[in-house]
Amino acid sequence: MLTPEPRDFAEALGVEPVEVEVEAQELDLTEVVGEPLKFSFHAVERSIRLRWGRVDIYREGATRLRIVESPGRTGLYVDFATDTMTGTLRIEVFPEVSVDDELLFT
């Protein structure tokens, strides 16, 4: 899975990923957004996990993690592709947290 550099996360979101397991990184955005929000990713295993309040999403098959910035908005977008599905998980961090999950079966 392709991922941004650690400094890119710090510049866009105010936090750098922390290694929580071998090759697994976590962004704890709780302090930044003022509510429980953690996003972890494992580039080698191509997996992600999003924990936001009562939402807990775990998914494999990630191909690319992107930081997307536009005027007044910043988000994390994760592209997925497997033999049976394709799609994008969009996590808007600023100006407020929201999640949009687009997943299509191929």
Side-chain angles (χ1 to χ4, degrees):
M1 169 172 63
L2 300 173
T3 64
E5 294 294 321
R7 71 178 180 283
D8 296 334
F9 291 104
E11 290 173 5
L13 302 168
V15 296
E16 284 191 22
V18 174
E19 189 170 75
V20 291
E21 293 179 19
V22 176
E23 302 289 333
Q25 305 285 317
E26 182 176 80
L27 291 165
D28 187 346
L29 297 158
T30 302
E31 294 293 321
V32 176
V33 299
E35 59 184 298
L37 178 62
K38 292 184 179 186
F39 177 82
S40 55
F41 58 96
H42 195 297
V44 175
E45 291 183 1
R46 299 178 49 214
S47 63
I48 64 95
R49 184 175 183 192
L50 169 67
R51 289 170 289 161
W52 173 42
R54 294 170 53 183
V55 173
D56 191 346
I57 298 171
Y58 174 80
R59 187 162 300 147
E60 296 178 335
T63 58
R64 183 171 61 162
L65 168 60
R66 302 176 279 147
I67 300 168
V68 177
E69 296 180 277
S70 61
R73 296 195 169 286
T74 304
L76 296 169
Y77 288 27
V78 186
D79 299 322
F80 295 90
T82 67
D83 293 341
T84 58
M85 69 172 188
T86 185
T88 302
L89 175 65
R90 295 175 188 86
I91 306 155
E92 293 294 329
V93 179
F94 302 117
E96 64 183 325
V97 179
S98 67
V99 176
D100 181 37
D101 191 7
E102 170 193 295
L103 196 59
L104 302 172
F105 290 99
T106 57

